[in-house]
Amino acid sequence: MIKTVKDVDLKGKRIIMRVDFNVPMKDGVVQDDTRIMAALPTIKYILEQNPRSLVLMSHLGDPKKDVKKAQEKAEKAGKPWTDADAEKFINGKNRMAPVVKYFSEKLGKEVIFLPDALGQKNAIDSLPEGAVAMLENTRFHKEETSKDPAERDIMAKELASYGDIFVNDAFGTAHRDQASTASIAKFMGCESVGGFLMEKEVKYIQPMVENPPKPQVAIIGGAKVSSKIAVLESLLKNASALIIGGGMAYTFLKAQGYSVGKSLVEDDFIDTAKKLLSDAQAKGVKIVLPVDHVGAAEFSPDVQAVAIDSIDIPADLMAMDVGPKTVELYKEVLSTAKSVVWNGPVGVFEFEAFAKGTAAVAQLVADATGRGAMTVVGGGDSVAAVNKFNLADKMSHVSTGGGASLEFLEGKTLPGIAVLATK
């Protein structure tokens, strides 16, 4: 396990802490504060230990990419785009100041906003005793995300000079080897430790990959096989059953020779699907694919839902959700599970007509938790689903990191965790 803030003496120390305040913004207003609230327990604990100061850092979107997308959208609509437009867009989407104001209210304490991520050492050294401050968006500096370690180190070294102890509680960016997430640890004069959120993510996800309570059932959904190959291969090592749903299921069904109609299929990954099916059979892992479907003539929220009471899908339809027989299969497989990992919906749950399958999965995983199984939900869409169906508090753990949780489940070493001291 990683060392955390509880394993080091924080009294009188300057703390530099990476948080994940990359929250959705609209016109300078925070739209969802889940990530902010998730960091509060660690921040409050640190402040209770009477540190000299606490300086927080985070990214907020990707300014360069976000501006480029906004410019392309404006030009496509025939609207002129100026530097003033870019500045206005950044102020509403990428500046940390509105986030700092919002966070300050939630913390119940003034949080001082520092107008840049670099060049702040004098300001930090001059902070009042016990003050909390937050740097401007770290991604306003190209060194933060540079592929060149030497470039990242330039920024990381300065960030390290802002504190005596580095705390990383940003699991959502732990898979990124960046200046503020990993490189900074090379320049700290003392141990780098995790926050409580990071500790919880490691506590629940690592066993799912290395030594889960058995039998383990993995539910892997989402649109594409290509994005989930590594996690499927990783989970084959310990799972007794793999439930494969969502758009990716139709590539597997086509690989088995079934008709998939107009459903989403990655033809380039048919052979990959065949190999995964063969590997699963060799390891004695049961693969559960849809045996019936809910289809539609086209991909639209208003289209008529059509029940398809067979594995084969008619040529004029595309599958958009799993049917009731498939849900019963899920129920049977999950009934004996001692651990469940869920990444990806099994249907287009954002369209009401095709949400029943994913809602049923969410309830079945919640039921498994109630029976004492360890259940972990990871991936942005799965998390959105359990929140939509008001079942997040019925899971053992709902991960805050989409890409990070996926890579962790793939068995990869995450740079933002690898740099932390262990015990």
Side-chain angles (χ1 to χ4, degrees), residues 112-137:
I112 298 163
F113 175 58
L114 299 174
D116 201 341
L118 299 178
Q120 301 302 309
K121 189 165 189 318
N122 289 340
I124 290 168
D125 289 345
S126 303
L127 287 172
E129 192 86 18
V132 181
M134 181 141 203
L135 304 175
E136 178 58 284
N137 190 342

mmCIF file of all heavy atoms in Angstrom, residues 112-137:
data_model
loop_
_atom_site.group_PDB
_atom_site.id
_atom_site.type_symbol
_atom_site.label_atom_id
_atom_site.label_comp_id
_atom_site.label_asym_id
_atom_site.label_seq_id
_atom_site.Cartn_x
_atom_site.Cartn_y
_atom_site.Cartn_z
ATOM 1 N N ILE A 112 -6.737 31.397 -1.304
ATOM 2 C CA ILE A 112 -6.062 32.459 -2.056
ATOM 3 C C ILE A 112 -5.739 31.962 -3.455
ATOM 4 O O ILE A 112 -5.145 30.895 -3.626
ATOM 5 C CB ILE A 112 -4.772 32.889 -1.327
ATOM 6 C CG1 ILE A 112 -5.126 33.445 0.059
ATOM 7 C CG2 ILE A 112 -3.994 33.923 -2.147
ATOM 8 C CD1 ILE A 112 -3.957 33.523 1.020
ATOM 9 N N PHE A 113 -6.138 32.725 -4.473
ATOM 10 C CA PHE A 113 -5.871 32.348 -5.854
ATOM 11 C C PHE A 113 -4.548 32.950 -6.305
ATOM 12 O O PHE A 113 -4.336 34.156 -6.207
ATOM 13 C CB PHE A 113 -7.001 32.827 -6.760
ATOM 14 C CG PHE A 113 -6.744 32.575 -8.222
ATOM 15 C CD1 PHE A 113 -6.515 31.295 -8.701
ATOM 16 C CD2 PHE A 113 -6.726 33.634 -9.123
ATOM 17 C CE1 PHE A 113 -6.279 31.059 -10.044
ATOM 18 C CE2 PHE A 113 -6.500 33.408 -10.472
ATOM 19 C CZ PHE A 113 -6.274 32.121 -10.939
ATOM 20 N N LEU A 114 -3.642 32.104 -6.781
ATOM 21 C CA LEU A 114 -2.361 32.551 -7.323
ATOM 22 C C LEU A 114 -2.462 32.535 -8.843
ATOM 23 O O LEU A 114 -2.801 31.501 -9.434
ATOM 24 C CB LEU A 114 -1.231 31.641 -6.834
ATOM 25 C CG LEU A 114 -1.061 31.617 -5.304
ATOM 26 C CD1 LEU A 114 -0.036 30.587 -4.874
ATOM 27 C CD2 LEU A 114 -0.679 33.007 -4.781
ATOM 28 N N PRO A 115 -2.200 33.671 -9.515
ATOM 29 C CA PRO A 115 -2.552 33.855 -10.926
ATOM 30 C C PRO A 115 -1.698 33.110 -11.950
ATOM 31 O O PRO A 115 -1.861 33.316 -13.146
ATOM 32 C CB PRO A 115 -2.418 35.367 -11.109
ATOM 33 C CG PRO A 115 -1.386 35.770 -10.106
ATOM 34 C CD PRO A 115 -1.598 34.877 -8.926
ATOM 35 N N ASP A 116 -0.805 32.261 -11.495
ATOM 36 C CA ASP A 116 0.002 31.458 -12.419
ATOM 37 C C ASP A 116 0.433 30.202 -11.673
ATOM 38 O O ASP A 116 0.372 30.150 -10.443
ATOM 39 C CB ASP A 116 1.233 32.248 -12.894
ATOM 40 C CG ASP A 116 1.824 31.709 -14.193
ATOM 41 O OD1 ASP A 116 1.526 30.546 -14.542
ATOM 42 O OD2 ASP A 116 2.583 32.440 -14.861
ATOM 43 N N ALA A 117 0.863 29.196 -12.427
ATOM 44 C CA ALA A 117 1.372 27.987 -11.783
ATOM 45 C C ALA A 117 2.866 28.113 -11.502
ATOM 46 O O ALA A 117 3.390 27.442 -10.613
ATOM 47 C CB ALA A 117 1.107 26.763 -12.659
ATOM 48 N N LEU A 118 3.539 28.961 -12.240
ATOM 49 C CA LEU A 118 4.977 29.164 -12.063
ATOM 50 C C LEU A 118 5.264 30.588 -11.585
ATOM 51 O O LEU A 118 4.425 31.479 -11.696
ATOM 52 C CB LEU A 118 5.715 28.887 -13.379
ATOM 53 C CG LEU A 118 5.574 27.451 -13.923
ATOM 54 C CD1 LEU A 118 6.310 27.297 -15.248
ATOM 55 C CD2 LEU A 118 6.075 26.430 -12.910
ATOM 56 N N GLY A 119 6.459 30.785 -11.032
ATOM 57 C CA GLY A 119 6.850 32.100 -10.553
ATOM 58 C C GLY A 119 6.146 32.528 -9.273
ATOM 59 O O GLY A 119 6.013 33.720 -8.994
ATOM 60 N N GLN A 120 5.719 31.573 -8.463
ATOM 61 C CA GLN A 120 4.912 31.885 -7.283
ATOM 62 C C GLN A 120 5.630 31.645 -5.954
ATOM 63 O O GLN A 120 5.011 31.732 -4.902
ATOM 64 C CB GLN A 120 3.622 31.055 -7.307
ATOM 65 C CG GLN A 120 2.756 31.276 -8.524
ATOM 66 C CD GLN A 120 2.334 32.725 -8.687
ATOM 67 O OE1 GLN A 120 1.821 33.343 -7.754
ATOM 68 N NE2 GLN A 120 2.582 33.289 -9.860
ATOM 69 N N LYS A 121 6.930 31.345 -5.998
ATOM 70 C CA LYS A 121 7.613 30.963 -4.748
ATOM 71 C C LYS A 121 7.562 32.073 -3.701
ATOM 72 O O LYS A 121 7.279 31.819 -2.525
ATOM 73 C CB LYS A 121 9.060 30.562 -5.008
ATOM 74 C CG LYS A 121 9.717 29.957 -3.764
ATOM 75 C CD LYS A 121 10.985 29.241 -4.066
ATOM 76 C CE LYS A 121 11.516 28.473 -2.867
ATOM 77 N NZ LYS A 121 11.440 29.158 -1.583
ATOM 78 N N ASN A 122 7.829 33.304 -4.100
ATOM 79 C CA ASN A 122 7.806 34.410 -3.137
ATOM 80 C C ASN A 122 6.415 34.593 -2.535
ATOM 81 O O ASN A 122 6.266 34.804 -1.325
ATOM 82 C CB ASN A 122 8.259 35.718 -3.801
ATOM 83 C CG ASN A 122 9.748 35.716 -4.103
ATOM 84 O OD1 ASN A 122 10.504 34.934 -3.516
ATOM 85 N ND2 ASN A 122 10.183 36.571 -5.023
ATOM 86 N N ALA A 123 5.394 34.473 -3.392
ATOM 87 C CA ALA A 123 4.018 34.626 -2.907
ATOM 88 C C ALA A 123 3.668 33.507 -1.923
ATOM 89 O O ALA A 123 3.016 33.751 -0.894
ATOM 90 C CB ALA A 123 3.048 34.608 -4.088
ATOM 91 N N ILE A 124 4.135 32.314 -2.209
ATOM 92 C CA ILE A 124 3.844 31.175 -1.329
ATOM 93 C C ILE A 124 4.596 31.303 -0.012
ATOM 94 O O ILE A 124 4.040 31.050 1.065
ATOM 95 C CB ILE A 124 4.185 29.851 -2.048
ATOM 96 C CG1 ILE A 124 3.174 29.608 -3.181
ATOM 97 C CG2 ILE A 124 4.177 28.666 -1.074
ATOM 98 C CD1 ILE A 124 3.551 28.512 -4.144
ATOM 99 N N ASP A 125 5.853 31.707 -0.090
ATOM 100 C CA ASP A 125 6.638 31.896 1.141
ATOM 101 C C ASP A 125 6.056 32.999 2.022
ATOM 102 O O ASP A 125 6.286 33.019 3.232
ATOM 103 C CB ASP A 125 8.097 32.220 0.791
ATOM 104 C CG ASP A 125 8.842 31.008 0.235
ATOM 105 O OD1 ASP A 125 8.333 29.885 0.390
ATOM 106 O OD2 ASP A 125 9.926 31.189 -0.354
ATOM 107 N N SER A 126 5.300 33.913 1.408
ATOM 108 C CA SER A 126 4.718 35.039 2.153
ATOM 109 C C SER A 126 3.292 34.766 2.632
ATOM 110 O O SER A 126 2.665 35.641 3.238
ATOM 111 C CB SER A 126 4.708 36.293 1.259
ATOM 112 O OG SER A 126 6.015 36.598 0.810
ATOM 113 N N LEU A 127 2.779 33.577 2.357
ATOM 114 C CA LEU A 127 1.415 33.263 2.776
ATOM 115 C C LEU A 127 1.299 33.297 4.300
ATOM 116 O O LEU A 127 2.237 32.912 5.003
ATOM 117 C CB LEU A 127 1.016 31.869 2.282
ATOM 118 C CG LEU A 127 0.732 31.698 0.781
ATOM 119 C CD1 LEU A 127 0.555 30.212 0.458
ATOM 120 C CD2 LEU A 127 -0.505 32.490 0.361
ATOM 121 N N PRO A 128 0.149 33.727 4.818
ATOM 122 C CA PRO A 128 -0.058 33.681 6.265
ATOM 123 C C PRO A 128 -0.009 32.245 6.780
ATOM 124 O O PRO A 128 -0.283 31.301 6.041
ATOM 125 C CB PRO A 128 -1.468 34.259 6.446
ATOM 126 C CG PRO A 128 -1.770 34.985 5.174
ATOM 127 C CD PRO A 128 -1.004 34.291 4.103
ATOM 128 N N GLU A 129 0.330 32.080 8.032
ATOM 129 C CA GLU A 129 0.385 30.755 8.660
ATOM 130 C C GLU A 129 -0.956 30.020 8.483
ATOM 131 O O GLU A 129 -2.019 30.580 8.768
ATOM 132 C CB GLU A 129 0.685 30.915 10.149
ATOM 133 C CG GLU A 129 1.044 29.631 10.854
ATOM 134 C CD GLU A 129 2.529 29.280 10.757
ATOM 135 O OE1 GLU A 129 3.338 30.182 10.441
ATOM 136 O OE2 GLU A 129 2.861 28.108 10.984
ATOM 137 N N GLY A 130 -0.895 28.777 7.984
ATOM 138 C CA GLY A 130 -2.096 27.968 7.833
ATOM 139 C C GLY A 130 -2.944 28.304 6.624
ATOM 140 O O GLY A 130 -4.075 27.807 6.489
ATOM 141 N N ALA A 131 -2.429 29.134 5.726
ATOM 142 C CA ALA A 131 -3.207 29.565 4.564
ATOM 143 C C ALA A 131 -3.363 28.442 3.538
ATOM 144 O O ALA A 131 -2.540 27.533 3.438
ATOM 145 C CB ALA A 131 -2.548 30.773 3.903
ATOM 146 N N VAL A 132 -4.444 28.539 2.773
ATOM 147 C CA VAL A 132 -4.683 27.636 1.635
ATOM 148 C C VAL A 132 -4.656 28.483 0.371
ATOM 149 O O VAL A 132 -5.306 29.536 0.313
ATOM 150 C CB VAL A 132 -6.052 26.925 1.733
ATOM 151 C CG1 VAL A 132 -6.241 25.971 0.546
ATOM 152 C CG2 VAL A 132 -6.178 26.171 3.048
ATOM 153 N N ALA A 133 -3.901 28.034 -0.623
ATOM 154 C CA ALA A 133 -3.822 28.760 -1.894
ATOM 155 C C ALA A 133 -3.975 27.774 -3.044
ATOM 156 O O ALA A 133 -3.768 26.569 -2.871
ATOM 157 C CB ALA A 133 -2.488 29.502 -2.003
ATOM 158 N N MET A 134 -4.338 28.297 -4.194
ATOM 159 C CA MET A 134 -4.451 27.442 -5.377
ATOM 160 C C MET A 134 -3.808 28.126 -6.564
ATOM 161 O O MET A 134 -4.034 29.306 -6.834
ATOM 162 C CB MET A 134 -5.908 27.125 -5.698
ATOM 163 C CG MET A 134 -6.056 26.216 -6.902
ATOM 164 S SD MET A 134 -7.359 25.010 -6.684
ATOM 165 C CE MET A 134 -6.819 23.745 -7.838
ATOM 166 N N LEU A 135 -3.003 27.331 -7.295
ATOM 167 C CA LEU A 135 -2.331 27.833 -8.486
ATOM 168 C C LEU A 135 -3.294 27.900 -9.667
ATOM 169 O O LEU A 135 -4.310 27.204 -9.701
ATOM 170 C CB LEU A 135 -1.164 26.911 -8.865
ATOM 171 C CG LEU A 135 -0.087 26.655 -7.807
ATOM 172 C CD1 LEU A 135 0.912 25.617 -8.315
ATOM 173 C CD2 LEU A 135 0.634 27.947 -7.445
ATOM 174 N N GLU A 136 -2.952 28.717 -10.633
ATOM 175 C CA GLU A 136 -3.690 28.735 -11.899
ATOM 176 C C GLU A 136 -3.483 27.410 -12.622
ATOM 177 O O GLU A 136 -2.555 26.643 -12.304
ATOM 178 C CB GLU A 136 -3.192 29.928 -12.750
ATOM 179 C CG GLU A 136 -3.815 30.089 -14.131
ATOM 180 C CD GLU A 136 -5.334 30.249 -14.128
ATOM 181 O OE1 GLU A 136 -6.020 29.217 -13.925
ATOM 182 O OE2 GLU A 136 -5.811 31.385 -14.329
ATOM 183 N N ASN A 137 -4.337 27.115 -13.555
ATOM 184 C CA ASN A 137 -4.342 25.909 -14.377
ATOM 185 C C ASN A 137 -2.921 25.502 -14.812
ATOM 186 O O ASN A 137 -2.248 26.236 -15.523
ATOM 187 C CB ASN A 137 -5.215 26.171 -15.610
ATOM 188 C CG ASN A 137 -5.492 24.929 -16.430
ATOM 189 O OD1 ASN A 137 -4.813 23.921 -16.324
ATOM 190 N ND2 ASN A 137 -6.507 25.025 -17.280
#
